[in-house]
Amino acid sequence: MVVSTATISLQEQYIKKDIPLLQKLVPFEFNYALLKGRGNYVGIRRFNDFVAENPKSNAIDDEFVEWLNESETGDISELDFTLPGEIWQEINSDGEDCLRQRCPNFSDCFYFGAREAAEHADILVVNHNLLLVDAASGGNVLPKYDLLIIDEAHHLNDIATEAFSSQISSRGLKRLRNKATKQLNAPIKLLEDIEFDSHALFHRLRNDYAFNKKRVRQSIKEAEPMLMSLHVLRGWIESQDYENVLDVDLAKEKLKLKAKAVISTIDRYIKCLDLLKLPDSNWVIYVEQSTNPNHENFSVTASPLDVSGFIADNLLSKAGLHSTVCMSATLATAGDDPFDYFKTSVGVIGPVVQDKFQSPFDYKHQSMLFLPGRKSYNLPNPNDAGYITEASRVIEQLIELSHGRAFILFTSRSALFRAFEIISKRLPYEARRQGEMPRNKLLEWFKVTPNAVLFGTSSFWEGVSVDGDQLSLVVIDRIPFQAPDDPIYEARCERLKEGGEKSWFGDLALPYAITRLKQGVGRLIRTQSDKGVVAILDPRLTEKAYGQKIIECLPPMSVTHNLQDLPSFFNVNSLNS
């Protein structure tokens, strides 16, 4: 059996909590293993090569070396500090730079150790990304399996879209030139041509698409010379036999692997540029400019418009697969068939066994939903410039009633930063926001800090669990509709409008928002003894017709529009015990 979930943190929850409990419940023995994508494991040989090639670099410190010597898994998630991404890309395990059995560190390889454990497991826990990579490879990544459980299945479409997208960026091209120079000794003229053509391409895009994220609809002629230069470099690399390389310590083999990795990068860039040169209606092309002023980066991404057919054909209809279970607390949305939105997103056509199961939690008595009216609390439309300022005033009142112990969740980073700036310094409780430390460390801080207040965005809407009175309030700033200027969302809305059979709002925008909102609401009640308040500050929930549909899809909490009704749901007595 393969159990797949959306995030690495949920994988670890299965391994550390859920499956050990299952072992105690079933009357037979079984073993299990965790397998992550290869890039999550450090490659010992690649690490040694990086240190040898960069003897003066301070990027690898003693703390990392100590961890590497003591780690049994080589898994980057064990680190309690952040390693720069460009460094990790040089030292992690990489299939295109792998000597396999010829590697001097093969017997100690973290990745192949994890693979061996996976081969002998009765239950293998993976994430959706790895599951989809295996499906795309025809089953060459994971061991063969008979049964599949897809947890957090509502993420499958989005992760598939990301997994099968291709991208080219100014920073990526710079790394490519550096690798071709330092590792392959490529001719300077070829690299100068690539640099010249990349400047021309990104100059054109920067002038025409001077926004953070904007869709490209027409052909970009500057992609043609960039394509030609990359093809020339690719041809030169393929023509090299490296016969003049002294084959000491597998030097020739290592060089061939580095050449193979560079060619693979070029091929991804070519795929993206081909679509930029000749747009395809089945693909969405968009450009994005980095907001970091110290590291300007301009990227072009090509994403498939519809991945449902791939999911249905290559994953759900996989040869040898007897049964698949898709589950999530948020699969059901509104409509005659509450599972229609999900089934459409993964290409399920025809009969399935489907059901909604009641929660074991008594939401009526354990929780209250606070919906502040626009007039009573002076809340403007969420799209108005002054919304966060007014919402922050209500958030502060809620935190005062709950004595901290709160998640304050936002749909955007800008709203998060603005509210944190307004509120945090006035609170009598310790407050932190997402980005101040790694996500898992921030969650640990919240669990052990009395009366803590955590301000977060998307990664704290799901996949995190805090039991007991430590979390008694969840505030959500607004209905989490997708941003209307998101290129992929925009293109999918246009296709629905052109088809005429479905509504872009009722069949795409609204189900998406309901799914996301149910995840955020679900942070509050995690056990049968939890108690607290969910506050959704968006006045559209009480003013718009679709607001009632959304509320009906949420857990059956008691509803109030008055702050005075909330104190009985905050277990303040526990603070004095």
Side-chain angles (χ1 to χ4, degrees), residues 260-433:
K260 179 183 175 184
V262 170
I263 286 175
S264 179
T265 300
I266 291 173
D267 286 343
R268 291 197 300 272
Y269 290 172
I270 287 174
K271 179 180 178 181
C272 188
L273 288 167
D274 277 335
L275 288 163
L276 190 62
K277 172 191 168 187
L278 190 63
D280 184 324
S281 60
N282 293 314
W283 288 79
V284 183
I285 317 296
Y286 60 92
V287 298
E288 192 168 8
Q289 189 165 9
S290 170
T291 55
N292 187 337
N294 298 322
H295 304 283
E296 185 186 33
N297 187 44
F298 212 86
S299 63
V300 180
T301 303
S303 297
L305 182 58
D306 184 2
V307 293
S308 60
F310 171 86
I311 295 172
D313 295 341
N314 295 280
L315 179 61
L316 303 182
S317 302
K318 182 182 174 74
L321 183 60
H322 297 168
S323 179
T324 300
V325 177
C326 298
M327 62 182 186
S328 168
T330 59
L331 282 191
T333 56
D336 295 334
D337 179 358
F339 296 100
D340 181 65
Y341 173 66
F342 169 72
K343 290 187 293 186
T344 299
S345 75
V346 297
V348 171
I349 300 172
V352 296
V353 178
Q354 62 185 49
D355 206 349
K356 292 169 64 176
F357 295 90
Q358 292 300 314
S359 169
F361 306 139
D362 184 357
Y363 284 102
K364 281 284 185 186
H365 294 95
Q366 288 184 251
S367 59
M368 177 165 275
L369 175 62
F370 172 60
L371 302 173
R374 183 191 300 272
K375 293 181 180 179
S376 301
Y377 294 92
N378 195 32
L379 285 171
N381 187 291
N383 295 317
D384 289 355
Y387 176 73
I388 287 298
T389 300
E390 294 301 324
S392 295
R393 178 178 47 79
V394 180
I395 292 171
E396 194 170 353
Q397 292 176 283
L398 288 163
I399 294 173
E400 182 180 347
L401 288 172
S402 68
H403 293 260
R405 307 180 296 163
F407 274 8
I408 316 299
L409 303 179
F410 298 87
T411 57
S412 71
R413 293 177 65 86
S414 59
L416 162 67
F417 291 147
R418 176 65 180 142
F420 186 80
E421 180 185 7
I422 295 172
I423 300 171
S424 60
K425 294 178 182 178
R426 300 206 297 253
L427 292 177
Y429 314 115
E430 191 172 347
R432 291 190 176 178
R433 64 166 175 79

